[in-house]
Amino acid sequence: MIKKEDCYKIGRIGKAHGVKGEVTFQFTDDVFDRVEADYLVLEVEGLLVPFFMEEYRFRSDTVALVKFCDIDTQQRAAELTNCDVWFPHALAPADEQPSLLSLVGFDIVEAKGAAAVGRIADIDDTTMNLLFCLEDGRLIPANDGLITDIDMTNRKITMHIPEGLLEI
């Protein structure tokens, strides 16, 4: 069974495209292309399910048309509409800087004293200042100057958090 903590969200399936089972895939991270992945993980009715790709082609910088194995009709493709798409951490390149979305589910720890701050539930990128949205609703700037370490193995981010920020 694939667990959410073993993956990170990279996009969402849009509408069916054509009659042979292709779907539009709106992505925020093109990691599936950079590592030549064989499959993507789709969230179907709350479960993470691997779907192997026959082929894909880019339509724009953020949209690809994907043909999954065993999805051969427009009706079958339409069943995947609005499914979130996830990518396994294990397949992501270890030598490159992690994407912000890959940090969802990581714990934030204060650099001074190593106190646990909370777990990242989402990334807010709707403004110029990116924010880590914690599970308890608090927001912390996702600023490189505040991050001292990202431990991919233990899924932990160590940060210098300005005094008083957590009380806001």
Side-chain angles (χ1 to χ4, degrees), residues 3-11 27-32 34-35 85-108 119-125 130-133 142 147 149-157:
K3 299 177 187 172
K4 281 189 180 181
E5 56 266 14
D6 295 334
C7 302
Y8 63 100
K9 188 174 162 185
I10 63 168
F27 58 89
T28 54
D29 188 336
D30 67 351
V31 66
F32 66 96
R34 293 193 316 270
V35 299
V85 180
W86 299 74
F87 195 79
H89 286 290
L91 297 181
D95 61 341
E96 70 179 44
Q97 183 71 17
S99 74
L100 280 176
L101 288 174
S102 71
L103 302 177
V104 170
F106 277 49
D107 292 315
I108 294 181
R119 181 165 287 157
I120 300 171
D122 198 7
I123 307 291
D124 182 348
D125 62 356
L130 297 172
L131 299 168
F132 292 132
C133 304
I147 298 172
D149 184 52
I150 299 175
D151 182 347
M152 296 301 287
T153 304
N154 296 311
R155 301 177 48 81
K156 182 173 69 171
I157 301 171

Side-chain angles (χ1 to χ4, degrees), residues 45-81:
E45 297 179 8
L47 297 173
L48 296 183
V49 180
F51 280 78
F52 287 85
M53 296 181 286
E54 279 184 28
E55 62 183 1
Y56 64 88
R57 64 186 188 277
F58 291 97
R59 195 169 185 186
S60 71
D61 289 344
T62 59
V63 176
L65 298 175
V66 179
K67 172 71 175 79
F68 291 111
C69 296
D70 301 323
I71 305 294
D72 296 325
T73 66
Q74 185 177 20
Q75 283 180 308
R76 292 283 317 273
E79 293 171 6
L80 302 177
T81 299

